[in-house]
Amino acid sequence: MQLDAKIPAGPIAQKWDNRRFEYNLVNPANRRKYTVLVIGTGLAGASAAATLGELGYNVKIFCLQDSPRRAHSIAAQGGINAAKNYQNDGDSVFRLFHDTIKGGDFRSREANVYRLAQLSNLIIDQCVAQGIPFAREYGGTLANRSFGGAQVSRTFYARGQTGQQLLLGAYSSLMRQVALGTVSLFPRRELMDVIVEEGRASGIICRNLINGQLESYNGHSVVLATGGYGNVFHLSTNAMASNVSAGWRAYKRGAGLANPCFVQIHPTCIPISGTHQSKLTLMSESLRNDGRVWVPKQAGDTRDPAKIPENERDYYLERKYPSFGNLVPRDIASRGAKEVCDQQRGVSETGQAVYLDFQDAIQRDGLNTIRYKYGNLFQMYQKITADNPETHPMKIYPAVHYTMGGLWVDYNLMTTIPGLFAIGEVNYSDHGANRLGASALMQGLADGYFVLPYSMGDYLATMGPVALSDTNQPLFKEATESIDNQTALLLKNNNSKKKGLQTVEHYHRKLGKTLWDHCGISRNKEGLQTALASIPEIRAEFWDNCLVPGTGLEFNQSLEKACRVADYLEFSEIMVQDALQREESCGCHLREESMSVDNEAQRDDKNFSHVTVWFHNGKEKTATTKREPLEFELSKPSTRNYK
Amino acid sequence: MPEKKISLILKIWRQKNPDQQGKLVTYELSDISSSMSFLEMLDLLNEQLTIKAEEPVAFDNDCREGICGKCGAMVNGTPHGPERETTLCQLHMRHFKDGDTIYIEPFRSVAFPLIKDLVIDRSALDTVIMAGGYISVNAGSAVEANTHPVGRDVAEQAMDSAACIGCGACVAACPNASAMLFTGAKITQLALLPQGQPERKKRAASMVKTMDKLGFGGCTNIGECEKACPKNISITNIARLNHEYMRTILLADEK
Ligand SMILES: Cc1cc2nc3c(=O)[nH]c(=O)nc-3n(C[C@H](O)[C@H](O)[C@H](O)COP(=O)(O)OP(=O)(O)OC[C@H]3O[C@@H](n4cnc5c(N)ncnc54)[C@H](O)[C@@H]3O)c2cc1C
Ligand code: FES
């Protein structure tokens, strides 16, 4: 079965214009009659809620954190892309489109990516108008830096805190609407279920994280902006609260889940230092502008890096990919690091690290210039490792970072459940099998400021001002009861004398290791099958032996975490099945069985030029898949060549 | 740096909810690796408490990278602990010695009611932003981004202020529980930039008024806020706040 992406007619450059003209509009005076529930206050959710509020809709917005400003987007470091061509270096909307499609290894939808490139410039205008202090040239114009997978300089940045500044911009617009009364804010709430009434999303159930109470909310539509699921691997660069639950609960209510195996592993993170590790810290990709990646040529060379002469170093990315060098896309850089570590040429005590060296850049540009560009990243690195990157090369290793997979959405950003929209990282839309650096922020804000507010209007106008769902009706009651039952099951070992009980963390670690070993940087059939056999075992153990202290009617962080891990233990199975059925290498998804003669990833366009979308068929039933075929009119699927 | 293992005596504020009395509870924790972060040390304690079927210590955190502003506690009386320019999540155990006793308590302020253990409610800071910490520009109405040049030094200065993570350490450190550093940072950022000019007066007046209403104290130039700030926000932001506030009064009828 195939899915209809509802791509507008016409030449690609006019598709979005055409669609906007086709959209029905809601009369400004009627907008306040519509309630929109937005879950998530990251770049996507905050920008969408603020904009819907500005338009006059009645918006309710929910987030896990105590303040919307703390959503995970705050941690984005490097920058945001736009096709402004301020550097006069040959950039254009078409080039940004083309780089993004190519970077995604021809597994994304052309029409969406083109729209994203078109909207990119408006985002920068909007953000500057909000007072975001982007980096500037001496003459006062906006500065740019380069990012992986591009040969033009199109990335806008605010030191190493671009995500923070963009989010605070969106947050300030959001808070302005809260003050104006168009948006109501519900912090410390966790989405537990989506209510679908007569085929339309019409409400949600949330847990109030302060007192544990389950609360029902009704709306004319629901927007999930709940971010990515990288934490299924236990260790990732994501914030601790990032999770799969909202998307997974929507999936269980009928939303299709697209390409869940597409998980980006970022090449430059601080390596694991011990078993206590709770998260991994990203060192921004922008560092690869000036840092050179290398390992010793000789396996087992444990000399101090400064003592290793130039001719005994292997700058393997520059050697293998002379035209892109250290700026190859992330998947290629990650694979490179794994390869040299597998050859026993990795550095540090664990052997699971490579050097990222700034000595040449410091010699060339002077310490002050390098400090200006990367000072805060150097500081963060030093705080964590107690090493100074100005004098010693950084040690880095790949870590799980971003999830390209997610809820399937059509061109209007609607999932397969009418009235349920998904924006930002939680959706699968623009990044194919690999996301280029600095394009998640662009996508989140494009979705929130400039796409969803239009497509939402059309959905609501077409539906008309129907009455809101009654939250006292059985649908809400049944959903609430089933969550209560789950809570009781999770708490059942509390006060039990049973032996061998374990913490939630224990099971999360165990799942994470299984996934990293078998569904990580490179994957093969045997490993994936091993993972598929272990996941149900870990899940069963979890439900038998997991110890969650406290009750369900109080502030209970162990229970919060247990609910999320319970969802990872189900979701991961679909993720691995997805990796197993995709018998090709593409982007981040390297299948060892699908390699070219020169040991590069080999795509199989004949059999896999499509999106795989998973559907839930009920408890204990196998999931089924549908496809969205991908057609490339403008860009010719070619073998990505960064040599 | 080679890894070491240390043992510590922890005295942690435990309080089930705002209605019950809280108290310091002593825990002995060993096998703490020097490369752990402070929060990973608390994770270790919490896992051990959980296995003993005791309630783990509630504490807020999210990014663990020093940027979301969600973590924070008083460590031996200092917000975010002894290291300067460091959030609690970025504080590492290599800064403590074997056998040390560490007091861990929540940030305390009238404007920050306690929720549980080390978790507090800082929504008053959001309310201050709601009062004017924004530029009123609807999506779609912005001018082209390079229309107003902003000198690099001005942009950098604005960025210094914009770096605030809203953790509330400044309030916790201040004997008057003043939020002037937090508020001053936002007012400064927007006052420096051309985009912030149209609402400049209204913003300062409204944010200062709201701050007072929420129960934050005034500033008497003690400077503890600056010392406690993990992002090195300078006290000159308070001078700028005062200047901006005076402007709203002195130039009250200037349109
Ligand atoms: C360290 C790091 C650096 C990065 N740097 C860059 C960069 O330089 N450039 C770039 O383009 N991209 C970068 N990215 C990627 C980018 O930051 C994210 O993809 C993007 O910010 C996601 O935004 P979002 O709005 O979709 O979700 P998020 O910012 O993750 O927000 C999710 C929101 O949903 C809420 N939520 C989640 N689950 C629930 C639930 N069950 N119930 C209720 N609420 C829920 C959360 O509270 C939060 O408010 C980086 C990512 C990381 C991890
Ligand atoms: S957890 Fe985000 S600043 Fe510490």
Side-chain angles (χ1 to χ4, degrees):
Chain A
M1 253 223 43
Q2 294 194 354
L3 287 162
D4 177 10
K6 307 210 174 85
I7 298 168
I12 200 152
Q14 269 131 53
K15 282 184 190 295
W16 180 228
D17 262 357
N18 292 350
R19 177 54 49 87
R20 283 193 294 175
F21 188 65
E22 286 160 21
Y23 279 149
N24 291 305
L25 301 173
V26 181
N27 180 315
N30 284 339
R31 291 186 194 142
R32 77 176 75 88
K33 297 180 188 153
Y34 292 99
T35 300
V36 180
L37 307 178
V38 180
I39 327 302
T41 60
L43 286 175
S47 58
T51 309
L52 291 168
E54 289 161 7
L55 289 168
Y57 295 103
N58 177 20
V59 183
K60 294 195 165 98
I61 189 164
F62 304 80
C63 69
L64 298 170
Q65 292 81 4
D66 58 330
S67 163
R69 66 179 289 155
R70 307 201 202 284
H72 162 61
S73 294
I74 199 99
Q77 300 173 351
I80 176 166
N81 286 333
K84 287 281 194 188
N85 192 31
Y86 284 158
Q87 305 309 322
N88 203 24
D89 56 359
D91 203 4
S92 62
V93 165
F94 194 85
R95 190 178 290 282
L96 173 54
F97 154 76
H98 189 265
D99 285 351
T100 309
I101 285 275
K102 179 181 170 203
D105 216 359
F106 302 93
R107 289 293 172 264
S108 38
R109 196 187 286 150
E110 271 194 342
N112 280 52
V113 178
Y114 198 89
R115 173 177 66 189
L116 178 64
Q118 283 175 311
L119 295 175
S120 65
N121 293 342
L122 288 180
I123 299 172
I124 302 304
D125 298 344
Q126 178 65 21
C127 293
V128 168
Q130 288 171 335
I132 290 173
F134 281 117
R136 299 272 173 170
E137 303 293 353
Y138 283 111
T141 53
L142 289 152
N144 291 114
R145 57 168 52 143
S146 305
F147 250 57
Q151 287 174 316
V152 293
S153 188
R154 62 159 76 99
T155 305
F156 294 78
Y157 63 101
R159 292 195 191 144
Q161 290 129 275
T162 316
Q164 179 198 29
Q165 294 310 313
L166 296 177
L167 183 62
L168 292 181
Y171 157 81
S172 67
S173 293
L174 175 69
M175 295 315 278
R176 173 171 157 248
Q177 292 307 311
V178 176
L180 291 170
T182 57
V183 178
S184 324
L185 184 63
F186 298 86
R188 293 204 198 261
R189 298 295 197 294
E190 178 140 15
L191 180 126
M192 302 303 292
D193 211 346
V194 178
I195 303 296
V196 182
E197 187 179 357
E198 291 172 4
R200 286 172 184 271
S202 66
I204 58 168
I205 314 275
C206 283
R207 187 192 298 281
N208 179 327
L209 299 179
I210 296 182
N211 58 23
Q213 299 279 359
L214 295 178
E215 302 169 341
S216 300
Y217 297 90
N218 50 18
H220 292 98
S221 70
V222 178
V223 182
L224 296 185
T226 48
Y229 52 79
N231 278 348
V232 66
F233 286 81
H234 182 243
L235 291 181
S236 83
T237 61
N238 289 9
M240 303 301 283
S242 297
N243 64 82
V244 77
S245 293
W248 185 245
R249 306 270 164 138
Y251 164 82
K252 286 172 106 175
R253 291 290 180 187
L257 186 60
N259 293 343
C261 78
F262 286 171
V263 175
Q264 177 166 82
I265 299 188
H266 196 294
T268 54
C269 304
I270 300 182
I272 295 179
S273 74
T275 50
H276 56 264
Q277 196 90 31
S278 60
K279 76 155 292 178
L280 293 167
T281 302
L282 175 75
M283 287 285 107
S284 168
E285 172 157 311
S286 59
L287 293 168
R288 286 198 274 142
N289 268 301
D290 287 296
R292 298 179 69 194
V293 177
W294 66 276
V295 288
K297 278 192 178 153
Q298 204 55 44
D301 186 343
T302 54
R303 279 176 295 173
D304 183 291
K307 302 241 163 69
I308 302 181
E310 204 56 29
N311 62 2
E312 292 179 40
R313 298 175 176 195
D314 179 13
Y315 294 91
Y316 57 89
L317 291 177
E318 296 171 24
R319 172 169 59 79
K320 285 165 64 179
Y321 308 99
S323 71
F324 279 69
N326 293 294
L327 284 175
V328 290
R330 295 174 174 178
D331 52 328
I332 295 178
S334 290
R335 207 170 298 149
K338 179 175 176 344
E339 201 175 277
V340 294
C341 291
D342 287 350
Q343 296 161 355
Q344 314 298 323
R345 294 197 288 145
V347 298
S348 96
E349 291 100 78
T350 58
Q352 297 291 302
V354 300
Y355 290 126
L356 180 63
D357 199 333
F358 296 91
Q359 282 319 311
D360 289 346
I362 293 173
Q363 298 288 325
R364 186 187 63 225
D365 300 338
L367 188 55
N368 279 342
T369 306
I370 296 301
R371 269 194 196 152
Y372 173 74
K373 289 191 184 165
Y374 310 115
N376 66 320
L377 293 169
F378 281 14
Q379 217 182 16
M380 174 147 66
Y381 180 85
Q382 190 163 11
K383 252 174 215 162
I384 296 172
T385 62
D387 273 344
N388 180 0
E390 290 176 4
T391 53
H392 282 76
M394 279 185 178
K395 291 179 196 134
I396 52 157
Y397 199 68
V400 172
H401 178 60
Y402 180 89
T403 53
M404 281 76 65
L407 292 174
W408 184 85
V409 287
D410 63 16
Y411 186 78
N412 305 316
L413 303 179
M414 187 139 78
T415 67
T416 54
I417 301 177
L420 181 69
F421 293 79
I423 58 175
E425 191 174 339
V426 73
N427 77 16
Y428 156 84
S429 68
D430 301 350
H431 309 296
N434 174 56
R435 175 175 70 78
L436 286 188
S439 56
L441 302 183
M442 170 171 72
Q443 182 224 331
L445 292 179
D447 288 0
Y449 286 131
F450 299 117
V451 182
L452 183 90
Y454 293 85
S455 61
M456 179 63 77
D458 179 63
Y459 173 76
L460 297 172
T462 311
M463 176 169 67
V466 297
L468 284 171
S469 266
D470 175 6
T471 52
N472 289 314
Q473 59 158 317
L475 269 178
F476 283 86
K477 289 258 147 70
E478 283 157 21
T480 305
E481 264 165 39
S482 112
I483 301 162
D484 277 335
N485 292 341
Q486 190 199 21
T487 307
L489 274 179
L490 287 169
L491 295 172
K492 74 172 190 292
N493 288 329
N494 202 351
N495 301 325
S496 124
K497 292 271 171 299
K498 201 165 155 184
K499 286 260 157 3
L501 298 180
Q502 290 288 357
T503 61
V504 176
E505 205 57 33
H506 169 86
Y507 297 103
H508 194 188
R509 248 181 236 131
K510 205 161 160 177
L511 173 68
K513 178 155 186 347
T514 303
L515 294 177
W516 180 249
D517 288 348
H518 301 299
C519 195
I521 300 180
S522 79
R523 302 153 173 195
N524 60 49
K525 186 172 175 187
E526 202 192 332
L528 292 166
Q529 283 170 337
T530 310
L532 273 184
S534 339
I535 295 166
E537 287 169 17
I538 306 174
R539 188 166 62 224
E541 265 183 65
F542 168 86
W543 283 104
D544 278 349
N545 294 329
C546 181
L547 182 53
V548 182
T551 72
L553 284 177
E554 61 180 339
F555 187 94
N556 188 338
Q557 291 173 317
S558 311
L559 179 62
E560 282 172 35
K561 170 106 208 218
C563 292
R564 292 176 201 148
V565 172
D567 289 338
Y568 291 141
L569 285 164
E570 295 180 356
F571 163 77
S572 52
E573 213 172 334
I574 300 291
M575 183 173 92
V576 176
Q577 279 178 31
D578 188 50
L580 188 61
Q581 62 83 32
R582 191 168 277 275
E583 292 170 336
E584 65 159 350
S585 294
C586 63
C588 65
H589 174 66
L590 183 86
R591 278 293 297 262
E592 287 162 15
E593 299 91 337
S594 180
M595 304 285 281
S596 68
V597 274
D598 53 354
N599 206 27
E600 294 289 337
Q602 177 103 51
R603 244 183 21 237
D604 175 358
D605 290 335
K606 204 161 136 257
N607 295 306
F608 290 97
S609 187
H610 60 253
V611 181
T612 309
V613 189
W614 294 81
F615 287 89
H616 184 64
N617 293 311
K619 218 177 159 190
E620 313 293 333
K621 300 232 177 75
T622 37
T624 42
T625 59
K626 292 184 188 174
R627 284 180 183 182
E628 179 198 339
L630 294 169
E631 272 144 37
F632 295 90
E633 284 172 43
L634 273 99
S635 50
K636 268 238 159 328
S638 53
T639 302
R640 284 189 311 167
N641 183 359
Y642 294 95
K643 294 193 163 157
Chain B
M1 192 184 259
E3 191 183 307
K4 274 195 325 224
K5 296 276 182 177
I6 58 171
S7 299
L8 295 171
I9 296 168
L10 305 172
K11 300 204 177 265
I12 305 181
W13 186 260
R14 303 301 311 260
Q15 184 170 348
K16 213 168 163 43
N17 56 49
D19 306 325
Q20 291 188 15
Q21 283 263 308
K23 61 170 193 287
L24 282 170
V25 176
T26 306
Y27 301 95
E28 283 174 31
L29 189 64
S30 50
D31 231 13
I32 303 165
S33 153
S34 56
S35 61
M36 270 182 186
S37 70
F38 198 88
L39 300 187
E40 284 168 346
M41 183 274 291
L42 289 179
D43 290 343
L44 180 69
L45 172 71
N46 277 347
E47 281 211 62
Q48 295 182 3
L49 291 177
T50 303
I51 284 297
K52 289 193 280 184
E54 283 178 44
E55 268 218 53
V57 180
F59 64 93
D60 258 337
N61 72 99
D62 200 14
C63 73
R64 299 202 173 191
E65 289 190 4
I67 193 75
C68 75
K70 197 165 182 235
C71 68
M74 304 298 280
V75 176
N76 293 334
T78 311
H80 294 298
E83 285 292 294
R84 278 198 88 147
E85 286 181 56
T86 306
T87 54
L88 193 60
C89 58
Q90 292 290 78
L91 176 63
H92 279 70
M93 297 316 291
R94 67 180 76 93
H95 300 292
F96 295 90
K97 288 198 304 293
D98 192 36
D100 276 357
T101 298
I102 308 181
Y103 286 82
I104 310 170
E105 293 170 89
F107 285 173
R108 293 191 198 277
S109 154
V110 205
F112 295 163
L114 187 132
I115 295 175
K116 180 175 184 176
D117 296 339
L118 306 174
V119 178
I120 51 166
D121 175 1
R122 283 165 291 191
S123 51
L125 298 180
D126 291 320
T127 313
V128 173
I129 297 296
M130 259 166 69
Y134 49 75
I135 288 168
S136 301
V137 53
N138 286 358
S141 61
V143 295
E144 206 285 328
N146 261 342
T147 308
H148 301 293
V150 179
R152 186 188 265 202
D153 47 345
V154 176
E156 288 303 308
Q157 234 184 314
M159 182 62 212
D160 286 342
S161 301
C164 167
I165 58 172
C167 64
C170 48
V171 178
C174 176
N176 309 327
S178 167
M180 295 273 263
L181 193 63
F182 170 81
T183 310
K186 188 46 76 182
I187 288 179
T188 303
Q189 176 202 340
L190 298 180
L192 284 169
L193 295 170
Q195 292 81 7
Q197 299 314 309
E199 294 166 290
R200 189 166 162 188
K201 281 197 305 193
K202 188 169 139 237
R203 175 180 307 117
S206 162
M207 288 178 82
V208 169
K209 195 167 121 206
T210 304
M211 199 173 66
D212 292 344
K213 223 167 50 196
L214 289 164
F216 292 110
C219 171
T220 49
N221 286 318
I222 302 170
E224 289 294 327
C225 54
E226 183 186 67
K227 255 200 283 174
C229 177
K231 296 293 138 179
N232 205 17
I233 308 280
S234 153
I235 200 163
T236 54
N237 285 276
I238 298 186
R240 170 79 68 163
L241 179 153
N242 287 326
H243 170 85
E244 292 294 316
Y245 187 64
M246 286 313 284
R247 251 180 113 250
T248 69
I249 297 170
L250 296 173
L251 308 178
D253 18 84
E254 193 186 85
K255 286 280 170 322

